[in-house]
Amino acid sequence: MRFSDAMTCTELFTGKEMNMDNIFILSETVLMIILFIIAGISEKIVSNKWRILYAAPTFLAIVFVAFYGFNVFHTGIFIAAAVQLLCLFMSAKRKKRLMAIISSVLLIVSFLVVSFAQGYQRMYIYDDFIKAYDTMKAHYVLTEEKKIDWKKLYDEYEPLFKEADRSQDYIENYKLWQRFTGEFYDGHVGYSMKSDELARKALCESYGNDYGLSLARLSTGEYVAVNVEGYDNSYTVNDKTHDDLGLYSVKYKYMPANVENLRLALKNAGIKNGTVITKWNGRPIDELTCDVDYYLYQYPVKENEEFYLPIYASGIGKDMKYGETFIPVNDEANPTVDITFRDDSGEEKTVSAPNLGAYFPRMYDTLKKIDEGVSITNLNWEKINSDTYMIRISEMIYDMETYSGTDFSEMTGKLRDEVLALKEEGVKNIIFDLRSNGGGSPYFVEGIVQLFAPVGEHITYYSAVINPVNATFERNAEGKYKMGQPSYYTGEDLWADGKIILLVNAVTVSAGDDMIYMMGDFPNVKVMGVTRSNSSCQAVTGVDLSLGSISFSAVPNLLPDGEVAIDTYSDHIGRTPFDERIPFDKKLISAVFDRGEDYILQYAAQSF
C-alpha cells in the first residue's frame, strides 16, 4: 500500500473531533445558562409555560441514553438534569439560580471525568463511521468508475453503526467495517484497528469456529479439505509457537477444555488434505459460501473473490451465522458440524466434527500457506537451477531514506550489476516473486522496470488535475479525469535474450500491480499465479479515527488514453496482464499442506 504526498488536504481530516459525550455536556451546560437567565425573567413575567424549560435537560438526557446507551461515568450529567426538575416546584428566583449553578458544577465535573478518567472506555463507533463516510464521499476518486451509491451505503450502514455504538460492541464494529470496505471492491479501501489487544480479540471472534480444516475449491470445481488438523505440516491448535500476529496470546480462551481429546476427529474419520467435501451440515458448499459477506483482505477481482470464498466459509457453525463465534463458558455444549466427504473408495460418509476453538488462526495460516512468497529478505536472489534465478520482492521499498522520494538510482545501479553478472554466468530465466507484495513506491518499480523494458522512453502514468479550492480532482465533459503531467522512464533491455516470469496472487497489490502493468506486456515476460493480482493502484490516503483508521484511493493514476489505471470497474474484472493460471489441484495441495513445499514457485520454474 502506498501513500501520496499530493493529497495534503488530508491533514484537515486527521484532527480529533469533539465526541458526542462532550457535545451532550456542552448542550446541557448551555441549557443551564439559559435557565439561570430565565429564573429572573419568569419572576417578572409569570407563566406556567416557563416550567416546560426545566424539563428540557431531562428530556435531552433521555434522548442521549436512547441513542448512545448508559454509562456509569455519565451519572453526574443525569443528576444535573434531574436537579432541574426540582425547579418545577419552586418559584423563588434565588433557589432556581442556585439549582442552575449546582447543575453546572456537576456538568463541569462530568466533563473532566469523561475527558481524563482512565477507566472511561466509551468507544465512538458512530462518530468514526460518520467521519470516515463524509471524508470518503468527498475525496474517494473511483466513485464513478466503481458506481458507488453513497446514499445507499449510508442508508444501509448508518443505522448498523449507530446500533453498534449504542451497544458498544467492538466486535460488531470490526465486522461492519469489513463489510463496508468490501462494498468498494478496492484493495486500497481498508480498516485498521489501533489496539493490538482488541484487534486479536476482534479477529478471533469474527470468523467463526475451527472445526479442524479449511475448505478450498479446486480448479476442477470440487471442494476439498486443506490444512487438516493432525497432519505434520497442517496448522495445529495446540501449537504454542509464536505467530506473527501474536494470536497465541488469546487463542486458548476459545478452546474447549478437552480440545486434546477432540482434535483428531477428522483424521480418525479418514479426512486428509485433498479429501473431497460435498456438504456442510447437509448443505452443498456452493450454498454455504453464499453466507460469506466480508473478508480479512479485499478481493476487487471477482474470480479472486470466488477462489477464497470457501476458505472463509469454513468457520460457519451449525445453526450459526457467518462470523458468529462460540466462546466456552461454564458447561455449555461444545458446537459441532456435520461434514460429508468422499473416502478413498469414493463412498460418501459424514462425520460430526467438534469445535476446536476460534477459526481465525487456522484461516490465517491457510491463507499464508497459499499466498506467502519465498521467505527471504526483500530484493534478495535465490538460485532455482543452473538456468533460473528468483528475486524476492515482497514490498516496493529499498530503504526509508529513499521511500518518500523519487530517486532510486542507488538501488537500480546495484540491481543492474547483479543482472549483468547473472547474464555473464549464463542464466537464462528470472522469476520475480511478487506474491503478497504489499506495495510501496511506484518510483521503486520504475527503477527496476527500466532495466528490463525495451530500449527507449516509456510513459507509466499521467497525473490528474486537482482543484486547489476543494482538493478534488477535476473531470472533463466525458466524465474522465483531466490529464496532468506524465511520468517517464528509459528502458535498457538488459534481459532481451532471456525470459522473465512475474509470479503473482490476489494480494499482490498497489505498486505490485504497477509492476505487473508496466512489465506484463514485454515480449519476454509471462505473468502467472494461482490467482491474478489484486488490481488496485491509485495513490492512497488515510483518515485517523478514534478506534482505528481507514485508508482509501485518493489520487488517480491515469493511462495515456485518459482511463483510470489498473483498478477494477463495476464489472469487477481484473485489468492487469495475466497469462497463465497455475492449477489449484491435489498435487499442489499435497505439496503445500503435507510436505511444506513451495509448489507454486517450482511450477513457475518448470514452465520455462
Side-chain angles (χ1 to χ4, degrees):
M1 187 175 293
R2 61 187 179 191
F3 289 79
S4 171
D5 293 329
M7 198 66 173
T8 55
C9 66
T10 56
E11 295 174 4
L12 295 173
F13 307 109
T14 56
K16 186 168 179 61
E17 296 178 345
M18 181 177 288
N19 57 53
M20 288 306 300
D21 302 67
N22 288 333
I23 291 174
F24 173 44
I25 293 171
L26 178 62
S27 301
E28 290 277 9
T29 304
V30 170
L31 272 175
M32 299 311 159
I33 295 171
I34 293 172
L35 291 174
F36 184 91
I37 297 170
I38 291 297
I41 298 174
S42 63
E43 193 173 60
K44 296 177 181 178
I45 306 174
V46 180
S47 172
N48 285 331
K49 293 180 180 178
W50 295 118
R51 295 176 181 272
I52 298 174
L53 288 175
Y54 289 98
T58 299
F59 174 76
L60 186 63
I62 292 171
V63 171
F64 181 83
V65 172
F67 279 93
Y68 296 99
F70 174 79
N71 190 298
V72 68
F73 287 91
H74 296 154
T75 302
I77 307 172
F78 301 131
I79 293 175
V83 163
Q84 294 308 303
L85 293 176
L86 298 175
C87 295
L88 294 172
F89 310 100
M90 297 177 181
S91 57
K93 176 179 70 174
R94 186 173 61 83
K95 290 182 179 180
K96 290 180 180 179
R97 285 186 167 175
L98 178 61
M99 293 297 103
I101 293 170
I102 290 172
S103 293
S104 297
V105 171
L106 286 169
L107 289 169
I108 291 171
V109 171
S110 296
F111 175 81
L112 294 173
V113 169
V114 167
S115 299
F116 302 107
Q118 291 185 354
Y120 183 69
Q121 297 295 328
R122 179 168 180 81
M123 297 180 290
Y124 299 100
I125 293 171
Y126 183 75
D127 293 0
D128 278 0
F129 168 71
I130 295 300
K131 181 178 181 180
Y133 174 87
D134 288 344
T135 309
M136 289 185 68
K137 183 180 179 183
H139 296 286
Y140 182 64
V141 295
L142 297 175
T143 292
E144 301 299 324
E145 287 72 19
K146 293 181 180 285
K147 292 184 168 51
I148 304 300
D149 186 335
W150 290 101
K151 182 180 184 303
K152 182 180 178 182
L153 285 176
Y154 184 86
D155 289 346
E156 178 179 353
Y157 285 96
E158 188 270 346
L160 298 176
F161 275 100
K162 182 175 286 185
E163 174 58 26
D165 188 285
R166 190 197 66 77
S167 61
Q168 289 290 282
D169 191 335
Y170 187 85
I171 307 303
E172 186 63 22
N173 175 63
Y174 168 75
K175 292 179 180 179
L176 285 173
W177 278 118
Q178 294 307 103
R179 284 176 55 190
F180 178 77
T181 55
E183 299 277 5
F184 294 82
Y185 277 86
D186 184 339
H188 278 149
V189 177
Y191 178 74
S192 299
M193 295 170 278
K194 283 184 176 177
S195 166
D196 289 342
E197 181 181 355
L198 287 175
R200 295 184 190 106
K201 176 179 170 64
L203 292 171
C204 284
E205 295 182 23
S206 296
Y207 292 95
N209 288 103
D210 182 4
Y211 297 99
L213 81 169
S214 292
L215 297 169
R217 188 175 185 270
L218 299 179
S219 299
T220 56
E222 293 178 299
Y223 294 93
V224 296
V226 298
N227 220 3
V228 179
E229 180 73 27
Y231 291 92
D232 289 346
N233 197 54
S234 292
Y235 169 81
T236 302
V237 294
N238 60 5
D239 183 3
K240 296 182 179 180
T241 58
H242 294 191
D243 56 88
D244 57 353
L245 293 182
L247 294 170
Y248 64 90
S249 65
V250 296
K251 70 177 186 179
Y252 297 105
K253 67 173 284 190
Y254 302 99
M255 295 180 186
N258 60 337
V259 67
E260 191 59 39
N261 298 326
L262 304 174
R263 54 180 290 268
L264 298 182
L266 297 185
K267 185 176 183 180
N268 292 338
I271 294 179
K272 52 193 174 184
N273 293 316
T275 295
V276 174
I277 308 297
T278 57
K279 292 179 182 177
W280 192 270
N281 279 328
R283 301 172 64 191
I285 308 301
D286 282 333
E287 184 180 321
L288 180 75
T289 58
C290 292
D291 294 345
V292 179
D293 58 0
Y294 60 85
Y295 313 98
L296 176 64
Y297 303 121
Q298 298 295 333
Y299 304 109
V301 179
K302 191 65 178 177
E303 64 189 61
N304 289 351
E305 181 183 28
E306 291 170 348
F307 173 83
Y308 290 96
L309 263 172
I311 298 174
Y312 287 90
S314 312
I316 300 176
K318 184 184 294 184
D319 300 322
M320 298 171 78
K321 297 179 180 179
Y322 173 66
E324 188 177 347
T325 307
F326 174 80
I327 304 172
V329 178
N330 300 325
D331 296 324
E332 286 186 80
N334 191 43
T336 60
V337 161
D338 294 333
I339 300 175
T340 304
F341 65 101
R342 292 199 196 109
D343 65 12
D344 292 340
S345 67
E347 181 183 352
E348 204 167 56
K349 294 182 178 179
T350 299
V351 60
S352 180
N355 161 51
L356 305 179
Y359 175 56
F360 180 79
R362 186 181 304 276
M363 182 189 84
Y364 183 68
D365 186 77
T366 300
L367 294 171
K368 283 182 62 178
K369 282 185 166 71
I370 294 173
D371 291 334
E372 195 172 34
V374 176
S375 297
I376 60 175
T377 304
N378 197 41
L379 283 177
N380 269 20
W381 295 88
E382 185 174 281
K383 184 175 182 178
I384 306 298
N385 55 50
S386 59
D387 290 332
T388 306
Y389 268 72
M390 179 277 306
I391 181 171
R392 175 64 170 139
I393 308 182
S394 56
E395 54 187 349
M396 303 307 187
I397 299 172
Y398 182 59
D399 55 39
M400 295 313 297
E401 287 71 27
T402 58
Y403 177 66
S404 59
T406 61
D407 183 6
F408 284 85
S409 55
E410 179 183 335
M411 176 203 69
T412 300
K414 177 176 180 293
L415 189 59
R416 182 185 292 108
D417 291 342
E418 293 169 347
V419 169
L420 291 175
L422 292 177
K423 192 173 182 179
E424 183 69 23
E425 189 180 323
V427 175
K428 298 180 176 62
N429 310 310
I430 294 177
I431 298 173
F432 284 92
D433 185 4
L434 302 178
R435 290 174 292 175
S436 296
N437 183 294
S441 169
Y443 301 107
F444 172 104
V445 178
E446 289 183 2
I448 294 176
V449 172
Q450 72 177 66
L451 300 176
F452 303 94
V455 173
E457 196 170 64
H458 300 264
I459 294 176
T460 51
Y461 304 121
Y462 283 80
S463 64
V465 175
I466 191 170
N467 184 328
V469 176
N470 57 16
T472 60
F473 293 91
E474 298 180 356
R475 294 183 183 260
N476 58 28
E478 298 175 349
K480 294 182 178 181
Y481 283 111
K482 293 181 180 179
M483 298 175 69
Q485 298 300 313
S487 177
Y488 297 94
Y489 70 89
T490 302
E492 301 178 28
D493 211 5
L494 298 185
W495 208 253
D497 298 326
K499 296 179 180 180
I500 297 171
I501 283 177
L502 305 183
L503 192 55
V504 307
N505 58 27
V507 277
T508 304
V509 64
S510 194
D513 276 312
D514 288 337
M515 187 162 177
I516 298 160
Y517 159 70
M518 292 182 203
M519 290 186 67
D521 291 330
F522 293 171
N524 61 339
V525 170
K526 180 165 65 173
V527 182
M528 62 193 304
V530 171
T531 51
R532 60 190 306 150
S533 69
N534 191 271
S535 288
S536 304
C537 92
Q538 311 314 305
V540 188
T541 192
V543 181
D544 186 50
L545 307 172
S546 65
L547 297 177
S549 61
I550 190 165
S551 62
F552 63 93
S553 299
V555 181
N557 294 313
L558 307 178
L559 301 178
D561 62 1
E563 293 290 338
V564 167
I566 294 178
D567 280 71
T568 60
Y569 288 173
S570 57
D571 56 12
H572 309 315
I573 295 175
R575 296 170 61 220
T576 51
F578 190 65
D579 301 305
E580 183 177 341
R581 187 178 305 281
I582 297 174
F584 194 80
D585 54 21
K586 290 189 178 182
K587 289 191 294 184
L588 183 151
I589 288 169
S590 180
V592 171
F593 290 99
D594 286 329
R595 302 190 298 276
E597 298 172 359
D598 193 344
Y599 177 91
I600 295 171
L601 179 63
Q602 295 168 7
Y603 186 99
Q606 291 169 9
S607 73
F608 282 115

